[in-house]
Amino acid sequence: MSSQTFSLSGVSSELECHFFPPIEVGNKSEIGLLSMQTYNSIPNVRGGCDTLHIIQGGKEETAKIKIPTGCYEIIALENKMRELLKSVGVRFFSLSTDNSTLKCTVHCSSEIDLNVEDSIAPLLGFDKRTLARDRRHESDRVVKIMNVNTIKIECNLALGSFDNGLQSHTIHEFYPVVPPGYKIVEIPKYCVLYKLKTNTIDYVRVSLTDQNGKAIDFREGKITKPAELTTGITIAHNGLTNLFNEMKYEINSTEVQRVKGVPVGYFLRSKN
């Protein structure tokens, strides 16, 4: 019994690798995801939905602010908008959410025109309209602060998964539970194995898409803490069927850590 692991890395949502000579595998070989590592740098504010138009003292006195592309939670977004609005003379601004209705409320000392091009209105759940000054305005719909609800990992070699009744190449999907800027380490608790569509592997492509099948923007991996982000995907076929029941780590004969029931699902099995 043999096993092989493919590790792909890059700074985009599509990773690929060519093999020469091609890798030959058995007829009953299977493939599955071992792990994925990246950073939660997926932006929810970007070009096309990043503008706020302020009206002060009449239509002739207007100011436009553009919010920098980034991954914001509501509190961080409020702080950034307040900072930018203060620079154009707005004395008061607040943005709050209701956890029951999932809507947000905007209160500003100046009139806000949401009819402008690239308005942030859709993200905050507002229709394109004008918000009167010194009043609290509740959004028309729920806030869409997170535009990526699912990360799907697709591999061109896999067969056997379906999306809304249509065959797909998805081998795993999950939702990032870490805050913006933190590292995502996804290790499937139970590794699902998929049949390979070919016995000759000369090309592997792994794609990361959202719930709508759209490629996820990782902003080329540029994040604030590490100098550069690398997205890593590890997949394998013909893995080991039996590993250890227990693992422990010792330093100078002193036990530091013990893990029982090490999941076999981290690895892959094959049928010859």
Side-chain angles (χ1 to χ4, degrees):
M1 182 180 298
S2 63
S3 68
Q4 293 178 337
T5 301
F6 304 149
S7 296
L8 286 74
S9 62
V11 293
S12 72
S13 59
E14 187 165 296
L15 313 173
E16 59 183 9
C17 181
H18 293 268
F19 297 95
F20 184 81
I23 299 173
E24 299 292 337
V25 298
N27 291 331
K28 296 183 179 180
S29 296
E30 297 169 310
I31 191 169
L33 178 74
L34 287 181
S35 67
M36 174 216 170
Q37 299 181 46
T38 185
Y39 283 85
N40 188 5
S41 59
I42 306 169
N44 52 2
V45 175
R46 65 179 78 191
C49 185
D50 60 353
T51 300
L52 203 62
H53 197 185
I54 303 299
I55 302 174
Q56 297 175 299
K59 295 288 184 181
E60 66 281 354
E61 297 182 26
T62 63
K64 184 183 293 186
I65 65 167
K66 291 187 74 68
I67 303 165
T69 297
C71 184
Y72 298 88
E73 293 182 333
I74 283 292
I75 294 178
L77 182 59
E78 179 191 28
N79 290 336
K80 175 57 68 173
M81 293 174 71
R82 183 183 292 134
E83 173 189 335
L84 295 172
L85 290 169
K86 185 178 180 180
S87 67
V88 296
V90 175
R91 55 181 176 80
F92 176 80
F93 175 83
S94 73
L95 173 66
S96 59
T97 57
D98 187 325
N99 292 333
S100 299
T101 63
L102 301 182
K103 295 183 177 182
C104 76
T105 299
V106 171
H107 188 189
C108 185
S109 59
S110 297
E111 192 173 354
I112 299 177
D113 183 6
L114 297 176
N115 291 291
V116 297
E117 186 179 0
D118 299 338
S119 172
I120 198 173
L123 186 146
L124 297 179
F126 282 92
D127 291 334
K128 289 192 173 183
R129 56 190 174 96
T130 300
L131 306 183
R133 64 184 181 90
D134 296 326
R135 290 179 55 188
R136 297 175 62 87
H137 300 273
E138 185 179 68
S139 61
D140 304 287
R141 294 173 303 281
V142 298
V143 175
K144 296 181 179 179
I145 192 68
M146 299 304 298
N147 47 34
V148 174
N149 296 321
T150 301
I151 295 179
K152 294 186 176 184
I153 302 174
E154 301 178 352
C155 178
N156 68 310
L157 299 177
L159 293 176
S161 63
F162 292 84
D163 186 0
N164 291 327
L166 301 177
Q167 184 167 296
S168 71
H169 299 290
T170 302
I171 58 176
H172 186 65
E173 57 182 81
F174 69 99
Y175 175 76
V177 295
V178 299
Y182 284 75
K183 190 169 186 178
I184 299 172
V185 179
E186 178 65 13
I187 302 176
K189 185 175 182 180
Y190 302 104
C191 184
V192 180
L193 304 179
Y194 296 90
K195 182 179 179 180
L196 288 174
K197 72 174 186 179
T198 179
N199 297 332
T200 302
I201 300 176
D202 59 1
Y203 174 68
V204 176
R205 183 182 70 252
V206 176
S207 303
L208 278 71
T209 64
D210 63 14
Q211 66 278 1
N212 299 317
K214 183 179 179 181
I216 295 176
D217 178 15
F218 285 99
R219 291 188 285 164
E220 299 184 350
K222 296 177 181 178
I223 56 175
T224 55
K225 293 184 180 177
E228 184 176 358
L229 166 67
T230 299
T231 301
I233 305 282
T234 304
I235 57 178
H237 71 276
N238 294 349
L240 303 178
T241 58
N242 296 288
L243 296 173
F244 307 100
N245 291 324
E246 180 178 283
M247 297 178 66
K248 64 180 180 179
Y249 177 47
E250 295 183 353
I251 299 178
N252 295 331
S253 300
T254 301
E255 184 176 312
V256 176
Q257 185 177 14
R258 180 188 296 264
V259 179
K260 293 185 178 181
V262 182
V264 178
Y266 286 5
F267 301 84
L268 306 176
R269 63 182 66 183
S270 69
K271 301 175 183 178
N272 295 324

